[in-house]
Each structure stands twice: as structure tokens, then as C-alpha cells.
Amino acid sequence: MAASQDDTIRNNWQREEVLALFNQPFNDLLFDAQVMHRRHFNPNQVQLSTLLSIKTGACPEDCKYCPQSARYDTGLEKEKLLEIEAVIEAAKAAKASGSSRFCMGAAWRSPHDRDIPKVAHMIREVKALGLETCMTLGMLSEEQSEKLASAGLDYYNHNLDTSKEFYGEVITTRTYQDRLNTLSNVRNSGMKVCAGGIVGMGEKQQDRAGLLMELANLPRHPESVPINMLVKVAGTPMADQADLDPFEFIRTIAVARLMMPKSYVRLSAGREDMNEQMQAMAFMAGANSIFYCEKLLTTPNPKANTDMQLFERLGISPEPFHVDKSNDEQEAELHQALAEVKTDSQFYPAG
């Protein structure tokens, strides 16, 4: 289609255009997405991020998918904000395993002003290790965004979750505009934006199209777009939600790539339930970032060694670190990290 062949960054997508992309023949859609992907990225490199929960549970929001909501009995134990030393140790381990970005998440509706100095300290310490930093702390005010940016935070994650029309079926304790306001505050502070959504929550294809349209029509595309598959957790209202067709998930990845050509599209939550073939197809469709750790806040994720085995079979390598070091230093550090992973007793080269 003409839209998929155009390299121009657009911020004026219409729902009918997006649905037309979704409903192309599957092979045509994947071909167009792969062509677009190759124009802007190395198709055989994937960016690795690690996500740590720095404050778990007791969130006052009513997000129907979330085990961290205080409104649902999911058996999750509450934890206070981690001490800085624990965060630094986790970041060191993430870097040693090959991650280039360290993401920190707190189950807050929004952070209290008294919490900002402590999370700012975390940002500075993690950056000192040579890692990119990302946080997701809920809604941010203009002042809070500026303070986190001043501390050196590279990315702030705040997902739209779904379309504006379906949003009320998922969350009632904050509005869609609240989420857009936070993204605006983050962007205006100079930080990079990480914003995506969740599919498989009972929404229609038009809602998946609506989500991507909202993201692509922001004044500037998010630099990182996580696409999450619903992880069904006992005790949440969505525990018994019907599975989304895997091909529809891949279509969502591909359309995101076509609409936001220069953004990193992250294969995010739900990977634990995806077989290798589905993950490989997602990379073909334009996904070029993953969370690389055994847990995403409170939900399981494939082990690092499993990911490295799949990468080796597919001929994929981790994207080099984007830090202020020479190319030789970055390459040596990456090879060292991969060597440490491969010497683990559970790792073996796949045949």
C-alpha cells in the first residue's frame, strides 16, 4: 500500500487507513513492515532492556489487568520502595547479562514529591554504570518531569493501554486525557517517551487500530513503543479473558512498525506464553526491543539464557550499548557480557 511504502513520518493517521493496514493479506503486511524496518534499523539487532519493580503492590488504581491493584486479591505481597543499594546491584546484574537499558517501575498512581529525590538518586547511580535509564512511576506533573529530566532520566514509560473508546472498559480511576497529559509533560521536559499498550483485553481490532493511531498522531512519535500481550492473572477481572489470535498480535506489531518507522517496537509482556516461532515472526514484523529478565514487575518473562539461545538460532545479536564510550569500548563490553552469559551452565548453543 502507498501508506506503507512512504518513508515520511506522519502524525495525521485516520482510523480507516490504519484498519486498511491491519487487513492487508498477512504476507503483504509482513513484507511491507520488514522493508520499512530495514530502512531504519539493523534487522538482526534487538535492543535489550531489564525491568525492576522498585515498589510493588498496593496501587489505588483499578486497572482490570493488573495484579498490583489494591482492589484485587492476587496473592501479591506489598513491598516498599527499594533501597538504592538493591537497585544498584540489580542494575549491575542487568548490565553484566547484556542489557543496555535499565527500567524501574513503581506501583503508584503518581509519585509523591517526597519520593522524587530518592528516585532521582537511583537514576544518577544507574547512569553512572553506563546504562540507559527508564522509569514508570504513574502520572507526572510538569515539575516532577523536569526534576527527573534534570537527574538524567533518559526515558519515561507511560502507556495509553488501549484506544480512547475502549479505555473505560479497562480503567476508571484515571482518564485517557490524564495519560496524554503525562506524556506531554515528559516530552516537554526533554525526556524520551516510552508509550504503548496492551492487546488481548477483549478489545476489537478497531481499538488496536485506535491505540496505534493515538500513539502515531502524538506531536512526536514515542521513541519506544511496547506492545504487551495480556498476562492473565488470577484474581483480576481479566483472569478469564479469551486468548487473542496470535496472528492478530503479529499484525499489531507490523502496523506499529509501519506507522512509527523510527521507533523501537518492543515485544513486551506475554512473551512467556509465546513460542519461538511466534517471537521470530514478531521480529520479522518489526519488533526490535525486548525485556530481558526473568520478571516484568510481577509477571514471568523468559530467562536470559533462553533468549540468547533463540537469538543464536535466528542470527540476532543484542544492539550495542548507546552510551558515551568509544566503539571499541562498547564492543569489548558487549562481548564480555555475552561471554559471561554463555559460560552459564544452563546455556548451550542450539543446533
Side-chain angles (χ1 to χ4, degrees):
M1 292 184 62
S4 65
Q5 298 300 325
D6 189 355
D7 238 4
T8 303
I9 299 298
R10 292 183 52 191
N11 308 86
N12 61 346
W13 290 90
Q14 300 297 313
R15 187 76 59 103
E16 294 75 15
E17 293 179 281
V18 183
L19 287 171
L21 291 177
F22 265 96
N23 288 303
Q24 287 188 87
F26 189 73
N27 286 341
D28 291 348
L29 176 59
L30 258 63
F31 176 81
D32 287 348
Q34 177 66 195
V35 169
M36 184 67 80
H37 186 54
R38 287 172 178 268
R39 289 178 183 169
H40 300 285
F41 294 97
N42 183 328
N44 297 310
Q45 287 186 351
V46 172
Q47 187 274 327
L48 305 183
S49 295
T50 293
L51 176 60
L52 174 70
S53 178
I54 60 173
K55 184 270 178 186
T56 303
C59 180
E61 303 277 30
D62 69 350
C63 308
K64 292 182 180 179
Y65 55 79
C66 187
Q68 301 209 61
S69 173
R71 298 164 185 256
Y72 314 130
D73 182 11
T74 62
L76 185 70
E77 293 189 13
K78 298 181 292 185
E79 296 179 4
K80 295 181 179 180
L81 188 65
L82 291 180
E83 294 300 323
I84 289 173
E85 293 75 15
V87 175
I88 294 171
E89 288 306 308
K92 288 179 179 178
K95 182 179 180 182
S97 70
S99 288
S100 60
R101 187 179 308 160
F102 191 69
C103 307
M104 295 160 273
W108 285 322
R109 173 177 169 79
S110 58
H112 294 291
D113 289 340
R114 65 175 180 269
D115 298 313
I116 297 298
K118 191 168 184 178
V119 297
H121 190 181
M122 293 177 185
I123 293 165
R124 289 189 290 269
E125 292 294 332
V126 172
K127 282 185 72 70
L129 298 174
L131 288 164
E132 288 184 316
T133 53
C134 179
M135 281 194 162
T136 178
L137 312 173
M139 294 182 289
L140 291 183
S141 66
E142 290 183 22
E143 183 179 4
Q144 289 173 334
S145 298
E146 290 171 0
K147 287 182 177 179
L148 294 181
S150 296
L153 187 62
D154 297 299
Y155 288 80
Y156 192 80
N157 167 258
H158 198 67
N159 291 334
L160 294 181
D161 283 355
T162 188
S163 70
K164 189 178 296 182
E165 295 79 7
F166 191 69
Y167 184 80
E169 300 297 317
V170 181
I171 304 155
T172 66
T173 49
R174 76 173 79 167
T175 67
Y176 209 74
Q177 189 59 49
D178 287 334
R179 291 180 180 267
L180 291 171
N181 289 345
T182 289
L183 293 182
S184 179
N185 291 337
V186 168
R187 180 64 79 193
N188 290 339
S189 73
M191 289 186 286
K192 295 177 182 178
V193 169
C194 175
I198 306 171
V199 298
M201 297 189 292
E203 78 284 347
K204 305 296 185 184
Q205 188 183 78
Q206 64 186 24
D207 296 305
R208 292 185 282 280
L211 166 67
L212 297 182
M213 187 177 71
E214 290 285 348
L215 293 168
N217 286 350
L218 290 170
R220 182 176 170 187
H221 291 171
E223 283 80 3
S224 181
V225 181
I227 304 297
N228 299 273
M229 178 79 86
L230 174 68
V231 176
K232 292 175 277 190
V233 179
T236 64
M238 291 189 172
D240 298 320
Q241 180 62 50
D243 291 341
L244 180 70
D245 180 354
F247 291 112
E248 186 67 15
F249 180 83
I250 301 299
R251 285 181 181 274
T252 306
I253 295 284
V255 175
R257 170 52 63 218
L258 290 169
M259 294 175 68
M260 292 170 277
K262 296 184 180 181
S263 301
Y264 282 84
V265 177
R266 178 176 297 143
L267 185 56
S268 198
R271 240 177 9 103
E272 177 76 5
D273 296 323
M274 299 178 192
N275 62 26
E276 291 180 333
Q277 292 79 7
M278 184 175 175
Q279 292 185 62
M281 195 171 290
F283 296 135
M284 176 68 74
N288 62 335
S289 176
I290 63 169
F291 274 125
Y292 180 70
C293 51
E294 293 187 17
K295 186 179 288 188
L296 303 184
L297 297 180
T298 62
T299 58
N301 197 50
K303 292 183 178 181
N305 289 340
T306 302
D307 287 327
M308 283 299 171
Q309 292 168 26
L310 178 59
F311 278 13
E312 185 159 320
R313 294 170 69 187
L314 297 178
I316 288 175
S317 61
E319 184 180 75
F321 294 166
H322 291 297
V323 294
D324 295 329
K325 295 182 180 180
S326 70
N327 290 337
D328 289 344
E329 288 175 320
Q330 290 185 44
E331 185 175 0
E333 190 168 282
L334 179 60
H335 282 306
Q336 177 62 32
L338 289 174
E340 291 174 1
V341 171
K342 288 190 176 186
T343 55
D344 188 291
S345 61
Q346 294 183 3
F347 184 89
Y348 61 91

